[in-house]
Amino acid sequence: MDRIRIVGGARLSGTIPISGAKNATLPLMIASLLTEGTLILENVPRLVDVVQLQRILGNHGVDIMIAGKRPGDAPNSGRTLHISAKHIVDTTAPYELVSKMRASFWVLAPLVARRGEARVSMPGGCAIGTRPVDLLIMAMEKLGAQIDIEGGYVVARAPRGLRGGEIEFPKITVGGTHTAVMAATLANGTTVIENAAREPEIGDVADCLNKMGAKISGAGTPRIVIEGVAKLDGARHSVLPDRIETGTYAMAVAMAGGDVLLQNARPELLQAALDVLGETGVAVTPTNEGIRITRNGAALAPVEVTTAPFPGFPTDLQAQLMALMTRANGVSRITETIFENRFMHVQELARFGAHIHLDGQTATVEGVKRLRGAPVMATDLRASVSLVIAALAAEGETMVNRVYHLDRGFERLEEKLSHCGATIERLSA
Ligand code: EPZ
């Protein structure tokens, strides 16, 4: 398995292009199941998770063509996928595939909406917590699906089609909101979703579905209203920039020091995280081209942060912020409220000499004067990248093992960082 070698201490300067968002790309690809037409997705990042979902959709009969580069395309622009689910040949999503990537469970809603039935394996636990699917099932039931659990599979049936309904989520859920929105687009009648997730990726998927002919309003607010339509058509849509990749590189620059333009980044997608960076003393400047991050030698101030659904501070940046605060001048407190077990990076950061004390859902991070490179690894992608951030400021060499996790969510990470002056290379096994 590949490893990444980093020698810390270099300042970063230059430009890092931000890729299309992984967490919008995945539900957008799944939304292709709702139409016989061709969905053309632009700005798709090259990621292992995208390839994995291609395999899963292929199993349902979805045909995906990756377009070559056209003259005039920017060298860093993402790929264009032509996705056609004209013939759905299989409505079962097997355990072997779903267990590799949780988001593939989301095929349930479009398969039932279009074909009246689906058998999708329960995803099981994962490295960041138990992650149940009860609320996704509840949403499908509210829209008239009959649900049975058989042999580890969720079997959903709506032979006469789904019908509009009222769905009030007792807890904010991104996957539950995607599920409810996709199912409701083809339901008979109007659906109202209360306490919906407001993450920008929900809005991006709704924009694409509306281009396909859906009637969705209120995406991005806690109340989404969907008027069902009889069918959806193909469309062309460009994936929005990745706010988690943006925040990750912003913290990398904050950690290493320097001056970097995060090209194509949009500040409104991660304002809470940018505000926290501002509190640490880092300069955050929105420009016409993206967001400029500058830190010139000044010490980092400690912060108190609690993760929350959008527009709060994202759980997907919690590990990266913790890595940054290991070098702050004082004591930080970081509380995780979304996933109960998202702290694998704590033990690994300790290997660099970080001082972190975990008490329930709160980590107390006492900034240290120096970190020292070490061999490390992690079992989820945000935790893994937090180790890269620590390594950028650590003395000597760090070897990040199990790079597979980074490749799931960060496109050409070592290339983007080395272009800005970091000493980082991939060692192939
Ligand atoms: C999405 O996961 C993201 N994944 C996650 O990103 C992200 O961390 C998470 O949203 C929160 O922002 C994708 O978009 C592909 P949830 P999702 O349903 O939809 C509980 C990454 O690193 N819950 O919003 O699975 C759940 O346990 C990944 O890119 C239920 O109780 O998350 C959690 O505590 C990791 N019952 C909370 O809701 C349910 O049926 C929020 O989870 C569903 C969820």
Side-chain angles (χ1 to χ4, degrees):
M1 214 179 273
D2 289 2
R3 296 175 298 164
I4 285 186
R5 177 177 170 273
I6 300 165
V7 179
R11 288 163 62 78
L12 302 179
S13 73
T15 297
I16 296 181
I18 297 302
S19 299
K22 168 181 86 79
N23 287 350
T25 302
L26 301 179
L28 284 165
M29 289 171 72
I30 289 172
S32 70
L33 287 166
L34 289 165
T35 174
E36 282 185 16
T38 300
L39 179 62
I40 303 176
L41 289 183
E42 296 170 344
N43 200 29
V44 172
R46 293 166 186 76
L47 297 173
V48 170
D49 270 9
V50 170
V51 175
Q52 179 64 20
L53 183 58
Q54 247 168 274
R55 237 173 254 144
I56 289 163
L57 292 175
N59 191 56
H60 297 298
V62 178
D63 193 47
I64 302 186
M65 198 268 286
I66 300 174
K69 280 229 179 285
R70 288 182 301 193
D73 279 355
N76 292 313
S77 63
R79 286 178 158 161
T80 299
L81 304 188
H82 292 243
I83 312 177
S84 165
K86 193 167 172 59
H87 306 290
I88 295 178
V89 297
D90 193 340
T91 53
T92 296
Y95 176 71
E96 304 78 67
L97 295 178
V98 178
S99 57
K100 289 210 177 97
M101 185 175 55
R102 288 186 52 87
S104 55
F105 185 82
W106 301 347
V107 299
L108 184 79
L111 286 175
V112 177
R114 177 119 167 258
R115 289 288 305 273
E117 57 161 42
R119 266 182 95 238
V120 179
S121 170
M122 306 266 277
C126 80
I128 62 177
T130 49
R131 300 185 77 186
V133 289
D134 55 321
L135 300 176
L136 285 69
I137 291 174
M138 177 276 277
M140 293 302 294
E141 283 177 333
K142 292 276 185 197
L143 300 183
Q146 190 209 313
I147 305 279
D148 295 291
I149 311 292
E150 294 171 7
Y153 280 72
V154 175
V155 182
R157 295 183 186 90
R160 286 194 300 279
L162 294 167
R163 52 177 155 68
E166 303 237 330
I167 301 168
E168 183 169 356
F169 285 112
K171 179 173 192 176
I172 293 177
T173 155
V174 172
T177 305
H178 281 310
T179 294
V181 169
M182 285 197 222
T185 54
L186 291 180
N188 190 2
T190 302
T191 297
V192 179
I193 306 172
E194 303 279 3
N195 202 25
R198 294 154 67 187
E199 270 64 7
E201 293 76 23
I202 300 283
D204 202 42
V205 175
D207 283 350
C208 177
L209 289 168
N210 282 340
K211 288 179 199 165
M212 292 161 71
K215 294 194 171 151
I216 305 167
S217 58
T221 75
R223 185 171 195 267
I224 304 179
V225 180
I226 302 127
E227 234 180 88
V229 296
K231 78 185 252 299
L232 296 177
D233 302 313
R236 179 182 280 271
H237 183 79
S238 180
V239 179
L240 92 170
D242 196 313
R243 64 195 166 97
I244 304 303
E245 191 196 25
T246 305
T248 300
Y249 287 123
M251 291 190 205
V253 179
M255 186 66 150
D259 185 352
V260 171
L261 173 70
L262 304 176
Q263 196 177 35
N264 301 326
R266 286 178 21 202
E268 72 277 15
L269 302 181
L270 72 160
Q271 199 52 57
L274 297 178
D275 290 346
V276 168
L277 272 176
E279 277 176 50
T280 68
V282 173
V284 176
T285 319
T287 76
N288 287 340
E289 279 184 90
I291 304 172
R292 193 172 155 202
I293 306 289
T294 321
R295 180 177 155 230
N296 287 322
L300 291 163
V303 293
E304 301 234 344
V305 169
T306 299
T307 63
F310 192 86
F313 187 94
T315 172
D316 290 348
L317 285 174
Q318 180 255 109
Q320 297 89 317
L321 177 68
M322 197 178 301
L324 181 62
M325 288 299 95
T326 62
R327 291 278 290 111
N329 191 11
V331 177
S332 300
R333 263 180 209 88
I334 302 177
T335 302
E336 170 61 50
T337 67
I338 308 294
F339 294 111
E340 77 275 15
N341 192 26
R342 206 173 197 180
F343 285 117
M344 280 93 66
H345 41 285
V346 168
Q347 285 312 312
E348 291 301 297
L349 288 171
R351 297 171 60 78
F352 292 94
H355 289 179
I356 305 173
H357 173 73
L358 201 52
D359 184 8
Q361 295 297 97
T362 299
T364 303
V365 187
E366 193 189 317
V368 293
K369 290 249 170 324
R370 62 210 300 221
L371 298 176
R372 289 208 176 89
V376 289
M377 70 171 184
T379 47
D380 110 82
L381 73 148
R382 312 302 178 189
S384 299
V385 86
S386 77
L387 306 177
V388 172
I389 292 177
L392 291 174
E395 290 170 9
E397 179 183 292
T398 292
M399 195 68 81
V400 182
N401 294 295
R402 289 220 203 170
V403 169
Y404 166 79
H405 291 286
L406 288 173
D407 292 338
R408 288 188 50 204
F410 291 93
E411 181 176 19
R412 296 177 293 118
L413 171 104
E414 67 278 14
E415 196 182 310
K416 291 187 184 189
L417 284 171
S418 64
H419 273 164
C420 290
T423 307
I424 176 168
E425 62 177 339
R426 177 181 292 252
L427 306 176
S428 295

